[in-house]
Amino acid sequence: MRYFETRKARIEIIPMIDIMLFLLVFFAMMTLRMIPASGQLSKLPTSSSAASIPAPKLLIEIQQGGTLVADGAPRTMEQLKGLIQSKDTATLSVTIAGSDDTNLQRVMDVIDVVKHSGVTQVGLAARAVAR
């Protein structure tokens, strides 16, 4: 007679807890991986992963003492912003090159001016490390 009795459905909660903990760990790890990708690349002036890129449409040099040179002439930040805005910023690619003693804050200031001018293609020039 026990054969014909209907059995009540039982909900197992332990596998559900396992899946929830797995999802929690997965999303935590993915969030931690995304955080370093939001910074600026700051490997100046040498890099072991330096690669050849096409010639930039605008090269900005940060010389010793923080002097900015673009299009072969020394420029201030305001002049640099005007120069960039006078070009087609949708297709403009800018490369920033610094000397050995370039201050990181000066590099970040130049990157800010370039990005606020509407340029989306910004690169940092580096020399390959001699092996």
Side-chain angles (χ1 to χ4, degrees), residues 29-77:
M29 294 301 290
M30 291 309 294
T31 302
L32 291 175
R33 282 203 127 199
M34 286 187 231
I35 292 172
S38 65
Q40 298 289 343
L41 182 61
S42 61
K43 292 183 177 181
L44 282 178
T46 60
S47 173
S48 61
S49 62
S52 296
I53 59 173
K57 294 181 182 174
L58 179 62
L59 175 66
I60 301 171
E61 296 177 58
I62 305 174
Q63 296 180 341
Q64 290 181 348
T67 306
L68 299 176
V69 176
D71 279 348
R75 304 197 186 261
T76 64
M77 289 288 197

Side-chain angles (χ1 to χ4, degrees), residues 56-103:
K57 294 181 182 174
L58 179 62
L59 175 66
I60 301 171
E61 296 177 58
I62 305 174
Q63 296 180 341
Q64 290 181 348
T67 306
L68 299 176
V69 176
D71 279 348
R75 304 197 186 261
T76 64
M77 289 288 197
E78 290 77 25
Q79 292 172 338
L80 181 63
K81 187 172 185 175
L83 174 68
I84 293 171
Q85 289 176 343
S86 69
K87 299 180 182 276
D88 182 19
T89 58
T91 59
L92 182 65
S93 63
V94 175
T95 300
I96 301 169
S99 63
D100 289 340
D101 64 345
T102 299
N103 185 351

